[in-house]
Amino acid sequence: MALVDHNFNLPFNIIRCSHIEYGVKDLDVSRRFYVDILGFVETERTKDVIYLRGLEEKNHHCLVLKQSEVSEVYALGFKVAFDNDLDLIKIHFESLKLPAEWVTKHGEERTLRVKTPLGLPLEFHAKQTRVPTMMRAFGKHKGLMPLRFDHINCFTPNCQSTYEFFVQQLGFRLTEYTLTEKGDMWAAWTHRKGNVHDMALTNGKGPRLHHAGIWTENVNHIIHLLDVMASEGYVENIERGPGRHGISNAFFLYILDPDGHRIEPFTSDYMTVDPDWEPLGWDLRDPRRQTLWGAPAPKSWFEHGSVFHGVEVKESEIESNPIIANYEDLL
Amino acid sequence: MALVDHNFNLPFNIIRCSHIEYGVKDLDVSRRFYVDILGFVETERTKDVIYLRGLEEKNHHCLVLKQSEVSEVYALGFKVAFDNDLDLIKIHFESLKLPAEWVTKHGEERTLRVKTPLGLPLEFHAKQTRVPTMMRAFGKHKGLMPLRFDHINCFTPNCQSTYEFFVQQLGFRLTEYTLTEKGDMWAAWTHRKGNVHDMALTNGKGPRLHHAGIWTENVNHIIHLLDVMASEGYVENIERGPGRHGISNAFFLYILDPDGHRIEPFTSDYMTVDPDWEPLGWDLRDPRRQTLWGAPAPKSWFEHGSVFHGVEVKESEIESNPIIANYEDLL
Amino acid sequence: MALVDHNFNLPFNIIRCSHIEYGVKDLDVSRRFYVDILGFVETERTKDVIYLRGLEEKNHHCLVLKQSEVSEVYALGFKVAFDNDLDLIKIHFESLKLPAEWVTKHGEERTLRVKTPLGLPLEFHAKQTRVPTMMRAFGKHKGLMPLRFDHINCFTPNCQSTYEFFVQQLGFRLTEYTLTEKGDMWAAWTHRKGNVHDMALTNGKGPRLHHAGIWTENVNHIIHLLDVMASEGYVENIERGPGRHGISNAFFLYILDPDGHRIEPFTSDYMTVDPDWEPLGWDLRDPRRQTLWGAPAPKSWFEHGSVFHGVEVKESEIESNPIIANYEDLL
Amino acid sequence: MALVDHNFNLPFNIIRCSHIEYGVKDLDVSRRFYVDILGFVETERTKDVIYLRGLEEKNHHCLVLKQSEVSEVYALGFKVAFDNDLDLIKIHFESLKLPAEWVTKHGEERTLRVKTPLGLPLEFHAKQTRVPTMMRAFGKHKGLMPLRFDHINCFTPNCQSTYEFFVQQLGFRLTEYTLTEKGDMWAAWTHRKGNVHDMALTNGKGPRLHHAGIWTENVNHIIHLLDVMASEGYVENIERGPGRHGISNAFFLYILDPDGHRIEPFTSDYMTVDPDWEPLGWDLRDPRRQTLWGAPAPKSWFEHGSVFHGVEVKESEIESNPIIANYEDLL
């Protein structure tokens, strides 16, 4: 059996995923995409970095765009409850013989950078610089009207072991999952903040970032974004959707930013704060888990991801998923 | 019985109501309201006049804002099918001993100005200068996302006679109505273009303009406009709504522009192109006709209207409507 | 040049397309699809026929489901302004040496059945039995909440000649179109009632029915229908969408009924009552015309259609459209 | 200064508010309102009690309707993380010399009933009987499409002391508030689950229940409920709205059930899981806090509430709020 018990006894408290630090090749091009088209708020721009936040957010950044030679990802950010949690996480990673070091990040008080056994670069902080919410400044809302950063989805070459690490060593709780025929975890949705996910994992060549999930209020904002993208020259950046996933119940869209980083504007998942909320398992052969309705996902959606700076990408250690094997049948 | 037969035998063809020419006291203040907040497209601005159109419209103007000493209305505009219809309307009005003269209007080929027996200033044209539709330029849509001008609603001191004039002399068709207890027309909704109304008439001190109806795609755009108005300093310009009228099935909002001209952003009426569509009569005592649901209309909504330039306002010739008599009971 | 002048001088007045008469193999199976899932109102059921109407409609039927050995189409219905128009249309078709005969249809006063030169079976009536609108019975609305029948879309082996027939002999007006490289009409959208179309025509093996368009109030109702279809066992009946067409600006969905008849729930087109509304031509190579955004249409959408009872299907007389030639590139 | 520090050091963990137990005078009448009109799922009906849940909920009940001589409230329900938390809460209340006793509730494993110093009857449980979620059974959704129970709002004769109790003794966190001119708490929104509120408190004659908040996905579902209520004979049960609160950013509606218990269908608040989320204070004289936009609240909304069974109602110990003093000016 691939499922492991939830761990409610860790000494530290990770509140939620909070941000991603992207390497992008042209800041102005990225700014136009994220600010002008999607409607993110620019908190601050330095010579090499743009800091963005969602409309309801009071923290300094949820997306960090860093001028870079190549398109890649520098860090996955998480917020902890209190400053002392950072020290406790450092001790924990050291006891596991895993890298953990203090780094300096603009807009955060103290930042701890660690790596998971398979190399995912996680950064923890307790406090970001506080900035005003734009939630009630409706006259400034546009594009997707992106409210907040919601989740991270990664490819991992071993979903079973990565899932176990997030649940047992970091206290994440499983909400939905699919197993391989041998009973290993094929894909796992895990959370800290009380909705479907903060961190989702899928088997595949990795570690690589599959996408960042952005919460918006309702279906109409996603349709409006599609209209805006199509009329403003971004139709090629629309990769998949709109549609509804069986998993998570999300009404979703997948788009690619100018560097190929994938963003999922979505809405309509559900609340999972109850500790006795029972994870929902899906049969890999049930097509509704992927797409309750909507066009088949294109091949790129299964294969393309963003690499992490300086992290080696390995082939999946899990045998191939039959669903992935036959794109040709998808049409 | 107050209902008269529809007249399908007139020699001319009025297509629809097309625009209103407003006198406004400060063009910049009005522009901010209509363009920045509501999202109308500015077709052209001359020294004294701003010409606006809706997002889907290809004609030069649907709202004309003219610098004026006082807040008033200069003309109610209608489009006819062909240029020759203008000559036929002129002959028709002359045969009725009513004023009809050619006037020059920027953005229109030929314009005929007439007056109804009670003094409503109507202007007819067959062609406006053609300009591009902004319908597919979704990145430019904002505020209400106003698609097109839909209807005109006026107070008249004698609804019965005005209704008869529009139906018998101009070919309008009745869609919904309320009668007084004596069986006279209290309020009438009449159309040419095939939805609920181009011209609605209500008993009251008049002739005065009650409001201009602006069509928007759906409920969400009206809610968004409310959010925008509230956050941009226009909460006092919201007069009534949102709500749903029993009459017309419209999801409505009533707002006042900086000069007190009333605008009704609305959506969700129905198609009436069938000549045998039977008018729907409402009982004046049925509260659902006014408000299927929604807060009671404030007193101002029953009493306030815009005067027409140079047109004498008379008291209603019809006895008072019991519904109007008791605002105090509305709360 | 493939465009012909509009004909405003015909002696009769076709108001709009009104209904389709379908042959279906199992009335109960069809009823579940149209009434329980889509939410049409059942006006009447006889031994062999079910008569359906949309929520706002006051006429007896907009879809007629007739027990049949095979899945096919019996008639395309149109409403004329007055009873006398039927006689004038009969004279007109006889003068063109085309079939025109009186037939008896339940729920209609007089019905004239004609055939176009390429064999499309059209039926005209002036009056259907009047039944109550369900528009304000919101508690009964469900599924798609289908408001009214909107348009008919057919394959024709010669779009140019069929387009010319509808425009010149029946008074339809062109709103949007695409031409082949030789300058012939490839696809044409024509209307009578004042929105984008009553009758759309596309080159292809025909005559066959491509789809019936059903108007719904907004995007949310179409998304809800998708959710309902997916959860009630009809996911295989979803063929294409949701998406937005460049042509018509429609937010669309295409679904197949249990007999394979295609239905397009849609919303958000525009008003075309102005006689000087200029048709919009699209380049066949402009992918936005088909899909402003949305997944590529599947092969079935280009190829599958419903045959007309007793009408011979011919290969397209127009050379192949390059867009159609390469489904393989669509993914 | 009226604000007290949050208490992150309590030994037990209240997860969220979970349900309300209502006394209703006619079960069938209430069932029609909650199940047929609003769309709640009936989990179970015994001779005297109906148990309801929201569409996404997997727990046995979120609303309990109990046959009663009078319309009143029996209990406010809260879920704790683990069974042992119940024992720790019992010890805590006993140490505070407050009532705490085990009671038997159908559908819950163990239930602890306590009273706050001013008499609010709270019931805690760790486990309810698990039942299927109806979230993906879209074909069964109707009315409001109520997803889940969200919050409780009560009148209290001393908001300052009740607020302090919930924050200091139960670990609730303040998100928004208004102070009297003397600096006492006038109204307070406090949460456990990470959105704006689980428990809101307002000064007034009490303790009494002001309303239960029900989460729905978007604005359109609330508008649809209004249409359904108006057409199904429940227009008198609509008390206030729709509108948007400045506080909580909620798009709201207030309706009264057949016993006068007030329900708030709402959507669109925000996430507050960050422990350093700073409470937002509103000026009592700022009308946007109550109503960002929307018609003024009727007098009943300020005055009417449901009494708790066997709990004495006291006059407010706080001097009158000027906003409340002049309903007459509201129109």
Side-chain angles (χ1 to χ4, degrees):
Chain A
M1 178 52 176
L3 267 59
V4 295
D5 285 342
H6 288 157
N7 184 351
F8 293 105
N9 297 313
L10 288 162
F12 50 82
N13 183 359
I14 299 171
I15 293 294
R16 59 178 177 92
C17 68
S18 56
H19 64 281
I20 295 180
E21 191 177 316
Y22 288 112
V24 301
K25 289 191 283 188
D26 187 321
L27 280 181
D28 290 327
V29 166
S30 292
R31 190 189 182 287
R32 174 157 158 74
F33 183 79
Y34 284 106
V35 176
D36 297 345
I37 301 299
L38 267 65
F40 278 92
V41 181
E42 188 181 67
T43 297
E44 194 177 349
R45 180 172 182 166
T46 64
K47 183 165 162 290
D48 297 327
V49 189
I50 292 175
Y51 297 89
L52 304 174
R53 67 185 194 277
L55 294 170
E56 85 175 41
E57 294 181 307
K58 293 183 186 180
N59 288 307
H60 186 269
H61 50 263
C62 74
L63 298 178
V64 178
L65 309 176
K66 195 170 156 181
Q67 178 65 48
S68 176
E69 291 293 305
V70 291
S71 300
E72 56 191 356
V73 177
Y74 289 98
L76 305 176
F78 294 82
K79 182 182 179 79
V80 298
F82 302 107
D83 188 73
N84 185 46
D85 287 318
L86 299 174
D87 302 299
L88 295 170
I89 292 175
K90 187 160 190 287
I91 292 167
H92 187 64
F93 270 73
E94 287 167 351
S95 76
L96 295 167
K97 312 288 184 205
L98 290 168
E101 55 173 350
W102 301 108
V103 292
T104 300
K105 293 288 164 135
H106 180 64
E108 297 180 8
E109 271 187 17
R110 285 206 302 165
T111 306
L112 177 72
R113 183 177 175 93
V114 307
K115 284 210 174 164
T116 67
L118 281 165
L120 281 170
L122 314 183
E123 290 186 359
F124 298 95
H125 74 279
K127 293 265 182 203
Q128 284 188 1
T129 303
R130 187 166 289 133
V131 289
T133 175
M134 300 296 281
M135 184 173 64
R136 293 177 183 87
F138 291 101
K140 307 284 185 295
H141 297 194
K142 66 182 174 183
L144 174 63
M145 303 190 186
L147 290 178
R148 58 177 180 263
F149 188 80
D150 185 81
H151 65 261
I152 295 165
N153 187 307
C154 288
F155 286 119
T156 164
N158 192 322
C159 186
Q160 180 68 36
S161 67
T162 309
Y163 149 72
E164 289 180 13
F165 185 83
F166 272 86
V167 166
Q168 295 182 319
Q169 303 304 334
L170 296 173
F172 284 64
R173 280 145 58 182
L174 187 69
T175 55
E176 305 202 21
Y177 63 95
T178 50
L179 300 181
T180 64
E181 293 191 356
K182 291 194 176 169
D184 289 317
M185 195 61 78
W186 174 261
W189 284 256
T190 70
H191 83 97
R192 284 294 304 170
K193 71 178 166 303
N195 69 349
V196 175
H197 48 331
D198 286 277
M199 190 76 196
L201 304 164
T202 308
N203 262 323
K205 209 164 56 174
R208 290 180 302 150
L209 177 66
H210 190 272
H211 69 261
I214 304 297
W215 179 261
T216 188
E217 190 189 302
N218 62 44
V219 161
N220 302 73
H221 295 170
I222 290 175
I223 301 301
H224 181 58
L225 177 66
L226 283 157
D227 288 334
V228 170
M229 288 181 70
S231 61
E232 294 284 321
Y234 289 90
V235 75
E236 298 298 326
N237 297 66
I238 301 170
E239 187 189 35
R240 177 189 178 190
R244 189 181 295 278
H245 291 307
I247 288 175
S248 85
N249 201 45
F251 181 87
F252 67 83
L253 173 68
Y254 292 94
I255 58 179
L256 298 170
D257 85 356
D259 285 271
H261 301 309
R262 188 181 286 108
I263 300 289
E264 182 197 18
F266 87 110
T267 190
S268 177
D269 70 346
Y270 55 88
M271 190 175 75
T272 64
V273 291
D274 293 358
D276 62 339
W277 186 269
E278 209 167 48
L280 174 62
W282 291 82
D283 190 321
L284 258 180
R285 289 157 301 191
D286 182 348
R288 292 173 306 166
R289 87 184 202 288
Q290 257 282 354
T291 311
L292 190 71
W293 54 260
K299 197 172 179 178
S300 65
W301 191 87
F302 291 103
E303 298 189 348
H304 171 70
S306 299
V307 298
F308 291 101
H309 176 79
V311 177
E312 187 191 359
V313 173
K314 297 175 193 154
E315 292 298 318
S316 170
E317 299 168 3
I318 308 294
E319 65 183 52
S320 178
N321 171 6
I323 301 298
I324 302 274
N326 48 359
Y327 304 117
E328 297 69 22
D329 301 338
L330 287 176
L331 196 60
Chain B
M1 177 56 175
L3 267 60
V4 294
D5 286 342
H6 288 157
N7 183 352
F8 293 105
N9 298 312
L10 289 162
F12 51 82
N13 183 0
I14 298 171
I15 293 295
R16 58 178 178 92
C17 68
S18 56
H19 64 280
I20 295 180
E21 191 177 315
Y22 288 112
V24 302
K25 289 191 283 186
D26 186 322
L27 280 180
D28 290 325
V29 166
S30 293
R31 191 189 181 286
R32 174 157 159 73
F33 183 79
Y34 284 105
V35 176
D36 297 344
I37 302 299
L38 267 65
F40 277 91
V41 181
E42 187 182 67
T43 298
E44 194 178 348
R45 179 171 183 167
T46 64
K47 182 165 163 289
D48 296 327
V49 189
I50 292 175
Y51 297 88
L52 304 174
R53 66 185 194 276
L55 294 170
E56 85 174 43
E57 293 181 306
K58 294 184 186 179
N59 288 306
H60 186 269
H61 50 263
C62 75
L63 297 179
V64 178
L65 309 177
K66 195 171 156 182
Q67 178 65 47
S68 177
E69 290 294 304
V70 291
S71 300
E72 56 191 354
V73 178
Y74 289 98
L76 305 176
F78 295 82
K79 182 182 179 80
V80 298
F82 302 107
D83 188 72
N84 185 46
D85 288 318
L86 300 174
D87 302 300
L88 296 170
I89 293 175
K90 187 159 191 286
I91 292 166
H92 188 63
F93 270 74
E94 286 166 352
S95 76
L96 296 168
K97 313 288 185 204
L98 289 168
E101 55 173 352
W102 300 108
V103 293
T104 301
K105 292 288 163 133
H106 179 64
E108 298 180 8
E109 272 188 16
R110 286 206 304 165
T111 306
L112 178 71
R113 183 178 175 92
V114 306
K115 284 210 175 164
T116 67
L118 281 165
L120 281 168
L122 314 183
E123 290 186 357
F124 297 95
H125 74 279
K127 293 264 182 204
Q128 284 188 1
T129 303
R130 187 166 289 133
V131 289
T133 174
M134 301 295 282
M135 183 173 65
R136 293 176 183 87
F138 291 100
K140 307 285 185 297
H141 297 193
K142 65 183 174 182
L144 174 63
M145 303 192 185
L147 290 177
R148 58 178 180 263
F149 188 80
D150 185 82
H151 65 261
I152 295 165
N153 187 308
C154 288
F155 286 118
T156 163
N158 191 323
C159 186
Q160 180 68 36
S161 68
T162 309
Y163 148 74
E164 288 180 15
F165 185 83
F166 272 86
V167 166
Q168 296 182 319
Q169 303 304 334
L170 297 173
F172 284 63
R173 280 145 59 184
L174 186 69
T175 55
E176 305 202 23
Y177 63 94
T178 50
L179 300 181
T180 64
E181 292 192 355
K182 291 193 176 170
D184 289 316
M185 196 61 78
W186 174 262
W189 284 255
T190 71
H191 83 97
R192 284 295 304 170
K193 72 179 166 304
N195 69 349
V196 176
H197 47 332
D198 286 278
M199 190 74 197
L201 304 164
T202 309
N203 262 322
K205 210 163 54 173
R208 290 180 302 150
L209 177 66
H210 190 272
H211 69 262
I214 303 299
W215 178 262
T216 188
E217 191 189 302
N218 63 44
V219 160
N220 302 73
H221 295 170
I222 291 176
I223 301 301
H224 181 58
L225 176 65
L226 283 158
D227 288 333
V228 170
M229 288 181 70
S231 62
E232 294 284 320
Y234 290 89
V235 74
E236 298 297 326
N237 296 66
I238 302 169
E239 188 189 34
R240 179 189 177 189
R244 190 181 293 279
H245 290 307
I247 288 175
S248 85
N249 201 44
F251 181 87
F252 67 82
L253 173 68
Y254 291 94
I255 58 179
L256 298 170
D257 85 356
D259 285 271
H261 301 309
R262 187 182 288 109
I263 301 289
E264 183 198 16
F266 86 110
T267 190
S268 177
D269 69 347
Y270 55 89
M271 191 175 73
T272 63
V273 291
D274 293 358
D276 62 338
W277 187 270
E278 210 167 49
L280 174 62
W282 291 82
D283 190 321
L284 258 180
R285 287 155 303 192
D286 182 349
R288 291 173 307 166
R289 86 182 204 289
Q290 257 282 355
T291 312
L292 191 69
W293 54 261
K299 197 171 179 179
S300 65
W301 191 87
F302 292 103
E303 299 189 347
H304 170 71
S306 299
V307 297
F308 291 101
H309 177 78
V311 177
E312 186 192 358
V313 173
K314 296 174 194 154
E315 290 299 318
S316 171
E317 299 169 2
I318 307 294
E319 65 183 53
S320 179
N321 171 6
I323 302 298
I324 303 274
N326 49 359
Y327 305 116
E328 297 68 24
D329 301 339
L330 288 175
L331 196 60
Chain C
M1 178 52 176
L3 266 59
V4 294
D5 285 343
H6 288 156
N7 184 350
F8 292 105
N9 298 312
L10 289 162
F12 50 83
N13 183 359
I14 298 171
I15 293 294
R16 59 178 177 93
C17 68
S18 56
H19 64 281
I20 295 179
E21 192 177 315
Y22 288 112
V24 302
K25 289 191 283 187
D26 188 322
L27 279 180
D28 290 326
V29 166
S30 293
R31 191 190 181 286
R32 173 157 159 73
F33 182 79
Y34 284 105
V35 176
D36 297 344
I37 302 298
L38 267 66
F40 278 92
V41 181
E42 188 181 67
T43 298
E44 194 178 349
R45 178 172 183 167
T46 65
K47 182 166 163 289
D48 296 327
V49 189
I50 292 175
Y51 298 88
L52 304 175
R53 67 184 194 278
L55 294 171
E56 85 174 42
E57 293 180 308
K58 294 183 184 179
N59 288 306
H60 186 268
H61 50 264
C62 74
L63 298 178
V64 178
L65 309 176
K66 196 170 155 181
Q67 178 65 48
S68 177
E69 291 294 303
V70 291
S71 299
E72 57 191 354
V73 178
Y74 289 98
L76 305 176
F78 295 82
K79 183 182 180 79
V80 299
F82 303 107
D83 188 72
N84 185 47
D85 288 318
L86 299 174
D87 301 300
L88 296 170
I89 293 174
K90 187 160 190 288
I91 292 168
H92 187 63
F93 271 74
E94 286 167 352
S95 76
L96 296 168
K97 313 288 184 205
L98 289 168
E101 56 173 349
W102 300 109
V103 293
T104 301
K105 293 287 164 133
H106 179 65
E108 297 180 8
E109 271 187 17
R110 286 206 302 164
T111 306
L112 177 72
R113 182 177 175 93
V114 306
K115 283 210 175 165
T116 67
L118 281 164
L120 282 169
L122 313 183
E123 290 186 0
F124 297 95
H125 74 279
K127 293 263 182 204
Q128 284 189 0
T129 304
R130 186 166 290 134
V131 290
T133 176
M134 301 296 280
M135 184 173 65
R136 293 177 183 87
F138 291 100
K140 307 286 185 295
H141 296 193
K142 66 183 174 183
L144 175 62
M145 303 190 187
L147 290 177
R148 58 178 180 263
F149 188 81
D150 185 82
H151 64 261
I152 295 165
N153 186 308
C154 287
F155 286 119
T156 164
N158 192 322
C159 185
Q160 179 68 35
S161 67
T162 309
Y163 148 73
E164 288 180 15
F165 185 84
F166 272 86
V167 166
Q168 294 182 319
Q169 303 304 335
L170 296 173
F172 284 64
R173 280 144 58 182
L174 186 70
T175 55
E176 305 202 22
Y177 64 95
T178 50
L179 301 181
T180 64
E181 293 192 355
K182 291 194 176 168
D184 289 317
M185 195 61 77
W186 174 262
W189 284 255
T190 71
H191 83 97
R192 283 295 304 170
K193 71 179 167 301
N195 69 350
V196 175
H197 49 331
D198 287 278
M199 190 75 196
L201 304 163
T202 310
N203 263 321
K205 210 164 53 174
R208 291 180 300 149
L209 177 66
H210 189 273
H211 69 262
I214 304 298
W215 179 261
T216 188
E217 190 189 304
N218 62 44
V219 161
N220 303 73
H221 295 170
I222 290 176
I223 301 300
H224 181 58
L225 176 65
L226 283 157
D227 289 333
V228 169
M229 289 182 69
S231 62
E232 293 285 320
Y234 289 89
V235 74
E236 298 297 325
N237 297 66
I238 302 170
E239 188 190 34
R240 177 190 178 189
R244 189 182 293 278
H245 290 307
I247 289 175
S248 84
N249 201 45
F251 181 88
F252 67 84
L253 173 68
Y254 291 94
I255 58 178
L256 298 170
D257 86 354
D259 285 271
H261 301 308
R262 187 182 287 109
I263 300 289
E264 182 197 18
F266 87 110
T267 191
S268 177
D269 69 346
Y270 55 89
M271 191 175 73
T272 64
V273 291
D274 293 358
D276 61 340
W277 186 269
E278 210 168 47
L280 174 63
W282 291 82
D283 190 322
L284 258 179
R285 289 157 300 193
D286 182 348
R288 293 173 306 166
R289 89 184 200 287
Q290 257 282 354
T291 311
L292 190 70
W293 54 260
K299 197 171 180 179
S300 65
W301 191 87
F302 292 103
E303 298 190 348
H304 170 70
S306 299
V307 298
F308 291 102
H309 177 78
V311 178
E312 185 191 359
V313 173
K314 296 174 194 154
E315 291 299 317
S316 171
E317 299 169 2
I318 307 293
E319 65 184 50
S320 179
N321 171 6
I323 302 299
I324 303 273
N326 49 0
Y327 304 117
E328 298 69 24
D329 302 338
L330 287 175
L331 196 60
Chain D
M1 178 53 176
L3 267 60
V4 294
D5 286 342
H6 288 156
N7 183 351
F8 293 104
N9 297 313
L10 289 161
F12 51 82
N13 182 0
I14 297 170
I15 293 294
R16 58 177 177 92
C17 68
S18 57
H19 64 281
I20 295 180
E21 192 177 316
Y22 288 112
V24 302
K25 288 191 283 187
D26 186 321
L27 280 180
D28 290 326
V29 166
S30 293
R31 190 189 182 287
R32 176 159 157 71
F33 182 79
Y34 284 104
V35 176
D36 297 345
I37 302 298
L38 267 65
F40 278 91
V41 181
E42 187 181 67
T43 297
E44 194 178 348
R45 179 172 182 165
T46 64
K47 182 166 163 289
D48 297 327
V49 189
I50 293 176
Y51 298 88
L52 304 174
R53 67 185 194 277
L55 294 170
E56 85 174 43
E57 293 181 305
K58 295 183 184 180
N59 288 307
H60 186 267
H61 50 263
C62 74
L63 297 179
V64 179
L65 309 176
K66 196 169 156 182
Q67 178 65 48
S68 176
E69 291 293 304
V70 290
S71 300
E72 57 191 354
V73 178
Y74 288 98
L76 305 177
F78 295 82
K79 182 182 179 79
V80 298
F82 303 107
D83 188 73
N84 185 46
D85 287 319
L86 300 174
D87 302 299
L88 295 170
I89 293 174
K90 186 159 191 288
I91 291 167
H92 187 62
F93 271 74
E94 287 167 352
S95 77
L96 295 168
K97 312 289 184 205
L98 289 168
E101 56 173 350
W102 300 109
V103 292
T104 301
K105 292 288 163 134
H106 179 65
E108 298 179 8
E109 272 187 18
R110 286 207 302 166
T111 306
L112 177 72
R113 183 177 175 92
V114 306
K115 283 210 175 164
T116 67
L118 280 165
L120 281 169
L122 313 184
E123 290 187 358
F124 297 95
H125 74 279
K127 293 264 182 205
Q128 284 189 1
T129 303
R130 187 167 289 134
V131 290
T133 175
M134 300 296 281
M135 184 173 64
R136 294 176 183 87
F138 292 99
K140 308 284 186 296
H141 296 193
K142 66 183 173 182
L144 174 63
M145 303 191 186
L147 291 177
R148 58 177 180 263
F149 188 80
D150 185 81
H151 64 260
I152 295 165
N153 186 307
C154 288
F155 285 118
T156 164
N158 191 324
C159 186
Q160 179 69 36
S161 67
T162 308
Y163 148 73
E164 288 180 15
F165 185 83
F166 272 85
V167 166
Q168 295 182 318
Q169 303 304 334
L170 297 172
F172 284 65
R173 279 145 58 183
L174 186 70
T175 55
E176 305 203 22
Y177 63 95
T178 50
L179 301 182
T180 64
E181 293 191 356
K182 290 195 176 169
D184 289 317
M185 195 61 79
W186 174 262
W189 283 257
T190 71
H191 84 96
R192 284 295 303 170
K193 72 179 166 305
N195 69 349
V196 175
H197 48 331
D198 286 277
M199 190 75 198
L201 303 164
T202 310
N203 262 322
K205 210 165 53 174
R208 291 180 302 150
L209 177 66
H210 190 272
H211 69 262
I214 304 298
W215 179 261
T216 188
E217 190 189 302
N218 62 45
V219 161
N220 303 74
H221 295 170
I222 290 175
I223 301 300
H224 181 57
L225 176 65
L226 283 158
D227 288 333
V228 169
M229 288 182 70
S231 62
E232 294 285 320
Y234 289 89
V235 74
E236 298 297 325
N237 296 66
I238 302 169
E239 189 190 33
R240 177 188 179 191
R244 190 182 292 279
H245 290 307
I247 289 175
S248 85
N249 201 43
F251 182 86
F252 67 83
L253 174 68
Y254 291 94
I255 58 179
L256 297 170
D257 85 357
D259 285 272
H261 301 309
R262 187 182 288 109
I263 300 289
E264 183 198 17
F266 86 110
T267 190
S268 177
D269 69 347
Y270 55 88
M271 191 176 73
T272 63
V273 291
D274 294 358
D276 61 340
W277 186 269
E278 210 168 48
L280 174 61
W282 291 82
D283 190 321
L284 258 180
R285 289 156 301 191
D286 182 349
R288 292 174 306 167
R289 87 183 203 287
Q290 257 282 353
T291 311
L292 189 70
W293 53 261
K299 197 171 179 178
S300 65
W301 191 86
F302 293 102
E303 297 190 346
H304 170 70
S306 299
V307 297
F308 292 101
H309 177 78
V311 177
E312 186 191 359
V313 173
K314 296 174 195 156
E315 292 298 318
S316 170
E317 299 170 1
I318 308 294
E319 65 184 52
S320 179
N321 170 7
I323 301 298
I324 303 273
N326 48 0
Y327 305 116
E328 296 69 23
D329 301 339
L330 289 174
L331 195 60

